Amino acid sequence: MSWIASSQSSRRSMAHVKLKGVFTVTAKGRRYYYAWRGGPRLYGEPGSPEFVASYTEAHADLRTADASRVRGLIEAYKSSAAYERLAPSTKRTWAGWLDRIVNHFGELKVAQFDRPEIRPSIRRWRNQWEDRPRTADYGVQVLSHVMSYAVETDRIGTNPCHGIKSLYKVDRSGLIWSDEDIAALKAVASPEVGYVVDLAAHTGLRAGDLTRLAWSHVGSDAIRITTSKSRHRTTATIPLYADLRDLLATIPKRSTVILTNEQGRPWQRVNSTPFMTAKAKALGDRDLHFHDLRGTAATRFHRAGLAVNDIAEILGWEESSVEKILRRYVGVEARVQSMIAKINKAERGT
């Protein structure tokens, strides 16, 4: 939000100053103003000299943030190449967490995070959200990235977040969509939702990449698309195997992008209300997520006997992490079946 503050320099002249980023909160019928989200409170009425003065002072303090304190560390991190490399969606999600970190730890010296006694403080901060363990763990994840930056820039020696156990415990190994699960969902969903699910299961692409997948990405032998997660530095190359060709042939060409919704417009979010409604109706409270369709694709490629480096190229993953991802998504049964198929093939000499 921006405010236009007016100050009278003389009876005949008026100067206008545009104040950017003012954050407004309404509580118990009163409005409170802050220099920015998570920033210091502003005083006076918007446009008054007192209001402008408190805004100016807050931003002067921000520009001269003490680099030895966490508040200054956060500002330095936001200006770093490490932060710049983050995807825009990640920055939007992290913004609120960085504000929470500043609000809680901002005045502490960064050097205090080099001491073992800081770890209980981090756990107490995290435990504000212990009733939402995934949320709590996400906060520690963001703080850990900030502390990793502190280590890389020689502010501290070790990352105090390393070794703090997660609150959220789940083993998603084997939690993949089976052919029966997909058939059940498609039976109660619109054809457009069915196309989304089928294409995710056949390509392994992330939801964000599926929404921008265009017909121009489909070549004579493969789908090639840069991945948004890598900020388009990595290209996913999905071979046009028979089942994938057949699926693409059934999807109507209504737009330059492949997936369109019931109104014929490109999907903004494929993991959307129509998908969630159909999943709930078809599968009840089964713990299957949209991103588990990537595990379905990984299983398909693994069972086909593709090597780790081949699966990495198809899915646009780092080769060094493919084994870990396969352990997470591809259940023991799938790996055993793949081994049986390879042994049988070797014994037959084919």
Side-chain angles (χ1 to χ4, degrees), residues 294-338:
R294 303 197 79 207
T296 302
T299 302
R300 173 179 282 110
F301 301 142
H302 185 72
R303 284 177 172 167
L306 295 186
V308 167
N309 62 318
D310 292 328
I311 297 175
E313 183 174 0
I314 289 172
L315 299 178
W317 290 341
E318 290 293 330
E319 189 172 330
S320 60
S321 64
V322 167
E323 289 285 3
K324 177 181 176 182
I325 295 170
L326 288 177
R327 284 196 299 272
R328 174 182 178 184
Y329 282 114
V330 183
V332 173
E333 181 183 354
R335 292 198 295 274
V336 169
Q337 292 299 320
S338 177

Side-chain angles (χ1 to χ4, degrees), residues 52-317:
V52 175
S54 60
Y55 176 92
T56 302
E57 181 181 356
H59 280 265
D61 289 344
L62 178 63
R63 288 191 294 270
T64 59
D66 185 347
S68 69
R69 299 186 185 275
V70 171
R71 184 182 300 278
L73 172 66
I74 295 289
E75 292 307 314
Y77 175 62
K78 287 180 178 179
S79 302
S80 70
Y83 186 76
E84 185 59 31
R85 285 194 296 268
L86 297 176
S89 58
T90 302
K91 290 180 183 177
R92 287 193 295 272
T93 304
W94 285 22
W97 281 108
L98 292 174
D99 288 344
R100 293 183 184 102
I101 292 168
V102 168
N103 288 340
H104 190 85
F105 297 111
E107 300 311 315
L108 291 181
K109 293 281 189 177
V110 177
Q112 290 181 250
F113 285 78
D114 228 356
R115 301 170 184 168
E117 53 266 28
I118 196 64
R119 290 161 65 85
S121 297
I122 294 173
R123 283 193 288 267
R124 285 193 295 272
W125 173 74
R126 175 202 63 185
N127 290 347
Q128 297 177 73
W129 304 280
E130 62 183 343
D131 59 327
R132 292 171 287 160
R134 279 188 286 188
T135 298
D137 290 342
Y138 197 86
V140 176
Q141 177 187 336
V142 176
L143 178 60
S144 180
H145 278 269
V146 174
M147 290 300 130
S148 291
Y149 171 74
V151 172
E152 291 168 3
T153 53
D154 298 322
R155 288 170 166 87
I156 56 177
T158 58
N159 187 334
C161 297
H162 289 173
I164 293 180
K165 294 182 179 180
S166 299
L167 294 180
Y168 185 70
K169 304 293 184 183
V170 62
D171 179 10
R172 302 202 66 77
S173 175
L175 288 178
I176 62 175
W177 291 71
S178 66
D179 291 341
E180 292 75 19
D181 294 328
I182 293 174
L185 182 138
K186 289 169 65 177
V188 299
S190 68
E192 288 75 18
V193 171
Y195 298 144
V196 167
V197 172
D198 274 338
L199 199 56
H202 280 76
T203 63
L205 290 173
R206 292 183 174 86
D209 294 327
L210 284 170
T211 57
R212 64 186 186 85
L213 185 63
W215 292 107
S216 59
H217 291 126
V218 181
S220 59
D221 61 346
I223 294 174
R224 293 180 174 85
I225 180 172
T226 57
T227 60
S228 54
K229 187 71 172 180
S230 70
R231 295 180 66 83
H232 307 288
R233 292 188 293 267
T234 301
T235 298
T237 303
I238 304 106
L240 286 175
Y241 56 95
D243 285 351
L244 180 53
R245 284 186 186 274
D246 292 343
L247 170 61
L248 290 171
T250 66
I251 300 176
K253 294 184 177 181
R254 300 168 175 163
S255 172
T256 55
V257 299
I258 295 177
L259 295 173
T260 56
N261 60 22
E262 288 86 344
Q263 290 74 43
R265 295 192 291 271
W267 288 95
Q268 297 300 310
R269 291 179 59 250
V270 291
N271 188 8
S272 58
T273 298
F275 165 79
M276 296 300 293
T277 301
K279 183 176 86 74
K281 187 174 181 180
L283 305 177
D285 59 357
R286 285 275 305 283
D287 186 26
L288 283 176
H289 303 164
F290 185 87
H291 60 250
D292 291 325
L293 288 162
R294 303 197 79 207
T296 302
T299 302
R300 173 179 282 110
F301 301 142
H302 185 72
R303 284 177 172 167
L306 295 186
V308 167
N309 62 318
D310 292 328
I311 297 175
E313 183 174 0
I314 289 172
L315 299 178
W317 290 341

